[in-house]
Amino acid sequence: MSIQWYPGHMAKARREAKEKLKLIDVVIELVDARIPLSSRNPVIDELAKGKPRIMLLNKTDLADPKINELWTSYFKEKDFAVLQIDAQKGTGVKKVPPLVLQQATPLLNKWKAKGMNPRPIRALILGIPNVGKSTIINRLANKKIAKIGDKPGVTKAQQWIKVGKEMELLDTPGILWPKFEDEAVGFRLALTGAIKEEIFDFQESTLFLLRFLSKYYPERLKARYQLDLIPEDVVELYDVIGRKRGCLMSGGLIDYDKVAEILFREFRSGTLGKISLELPPQ
Ligand code: G4P
């Protein structure tokens, strides 16, 4: 579910996340591996300050493995423990609880030094809508947890889910809003399905995708759309793919919406291959 965020929503989401974080020992942030920075809201750095952090790069089944490695190093340098996962198939999810405990070692040592009996380590999943928060919570809980809306303020009683003996997970995630003041961030969010296409111009998002693919994945474009050459002019490329795919209206004009639909679908489903739309800053 994706909603449009207004200042009221954002303030409420922030307040709710802050309240939840008070109960938490280890913060688990979830991002889309294809667009790790575009799919995170940096407000989390301020909200989670001082807590051990885990960064989960999700949807790695759709992202470029080489780029996943670059992002893993990028976040490790920023003091995150990082895992590459596919919450839908469950790949990598089993590694999450041990990593939570590892990140909580200083805290456990502190309790021990004070002679306290350790309680389970408490963790929270946080992220913007559609990054896979419910999917991973269900995996970790080993059952289906009812999904509440992405609207902040739609609350239900919070419960702790036991994950093994030593960890507890809050059954509702912390939801943050996507931050897309930058146009490119908006295109990336639209292309990956994090925000509705209508919020961002469908055609413009497609041109962004085509420009990106021409630069970083030209061979995939050539192979998928049987192109000998990639036209330098991106609109020409749009035309060529339209003609190849028979997206024509009466009079032989290209039906650009149809071409855009095909490109969106083939990108999102992974038909174009494993593609990442964002590279770590140099
Ligand atoms: P949220 O709670 O953060 O809002 O996200 P949610 O778990 O609802 O996941 C959003 C969409 O992303 C879902 O697809 C979900 O299946 C998909 N998803 C989650 N993790 C992965 C992953 O690792 N890889 C891939 N490929 N997809 C993932 P949906 O189309 O909204 O629903 P459905 O098709 O699963 O019914």
Side-chain angles (χ1 to χ4, degrees):
M1 189 197 303
S2 91
I3 60 156
Q4 272 188 277
W5 291 80
Y6 298 103
H9 284 132
M10 294 180 194
K12 205 162 193 175
R14 185 194 179 101
R15 216 164 37 238
E16 284 177 8
K18 206 168 169 183
E19 279 305 306
K20 285 183 176 175
L21 280 163
K22 282 187 190 154
L23 314 168
I24 296 303
D25 305 312
V26 176
V27 181
I28 307 173
E29 187 177 348
L30 197 61
V31 293
D32 185 324
R34 295 167 294 176
I35 54 165
L37 286 189
S38 295
S39 62
R40 80 185 289 255
N41 188 324
V43 76
I44 193 174
D45 291 332
E46 187 196 314
L47 295 174
K49 209 171 183 172
K51 308 232 183 210
R53 313 277 296 273
I54 293 177
M55 177 65 75
L56 300 180
L57 301 173
N58 191 31
K59 308 200 183 185
T60 48
D61 53 316
L62 299 170
D64 186 331
K66 286 202 292 281
I67 312 292
N68 292 341
E69 292 305 319
L70 297 181
W71 282 113
T72 300
S73 308
Y74 173 86
F75 285 114
K76 278 187 177 166
E77 271 170 29
K78 301 209 173 303
D79 265 353
F80 286 89
V82 189
L83 278 179
Q84 298 176 19
I85 62 162
D86 166 354
Q88 205 172 48
K89 290 197 205 74
T91 319
V93 175
K94 280 205 174 79
K95 292 183 186 160
V96 175
L99 197 59
V100 168
L101 296 180
Q102 188 188 310
Q103 287 298 85
T105 308
L107 187 64
L108 287 163
N109 287 343
K110 202 165 98 186
W111 290 343
K112 222 194 254 163
K114 285 187 183 166
M116 289 160 68
N117 261 344
R119 59 159 173 76
I121 294 300
R122 293 180 167 167
L124 169 73
I125 305 270
L126 260 164
I128 67 165
N130 282 316
V131 283
K133 298 181 297 300
S134 307
T135 311
I136 191 171
I137 291 174
N138 286 337
R139 286 244 166 233
L140 288 168
N142 231 346
K143 61 180 174 197
K144 194 141 176 75
I145 306 286
K147 180 167 175 162
I148 54 156
D150 281 335
K151 277 203 172 72
V154 183
T155 47
K156 62 166 187 139
Q158 289 181 152
Q159 285 180 358
W160 294 101
I161 303 163
K162 282 219 168 298
V163 183
K165 281 202 187 93
E166 295 159 306
M167 176 186 159
E168 286 178 352
L169 181 71
L170 207 57
D171 69 341
T172 53
I175 300 165
L176 297 174
W177 60 99
K179 200 165 179 288
F180 48 97
E181 283 141 19
D182 176 358
E183 198 179 50
V185 174
F187 293 143
R188 292 187 197 108
L189 290 167
L191 285 161
T192 52
I195 56 172
K196 284 188 182 143
E197 289 97 84
E198 303 93 83
I199 300 180
F200 253 78
D201 191 291
F202 203 31
Q203 310 281 351
E204 290 292 335
S205 303
T206 306
L207 288 169
F208 177 89
L209 176 66
L210 287 176
R211 263 188 220 107
F212 189 87
L213 295 177
S214 303
K215 185 164 175 191
Y216 294 102
Y217 298 95
E219 297 310 317
R220 305 269 183 90
L221 266 182
K222 282 189 194 164
R224 180 72 199 156
Y225 302 109
Q226 294 161 352
L227 311 170
D228 297 327
L229 272 178
I230 298 192
E232 255 178 54
D233 178 11
V234 72
V235 180
E236 204 178 309
L237 173 60
Y238 208 155
D239 279 1
V240 174
I241 294 175
R243 256 180 259 118
K244 289 257 180 196
R245 281 305 177 93
C247 303
L248 299 174
M249 299 188 292
S250 58
L253 293 174
I254 308 282
D255 183 344
Y256 288 114
D257 275 343
K258 213 164 183 181
V259 191
E261 257 170 50
I262 290 175
L263 281 160
F264 260 71
R265 194 175 57 237
E266 298 200 339
F267 166 70
R268 283 185 182 172
S269 61
T271 310
L272 280 168
K274 292 175 190 281
I275 289 173
S276 296
L277 287 182
E278 190 170 42
L279 295 156
Q282 290 299 328

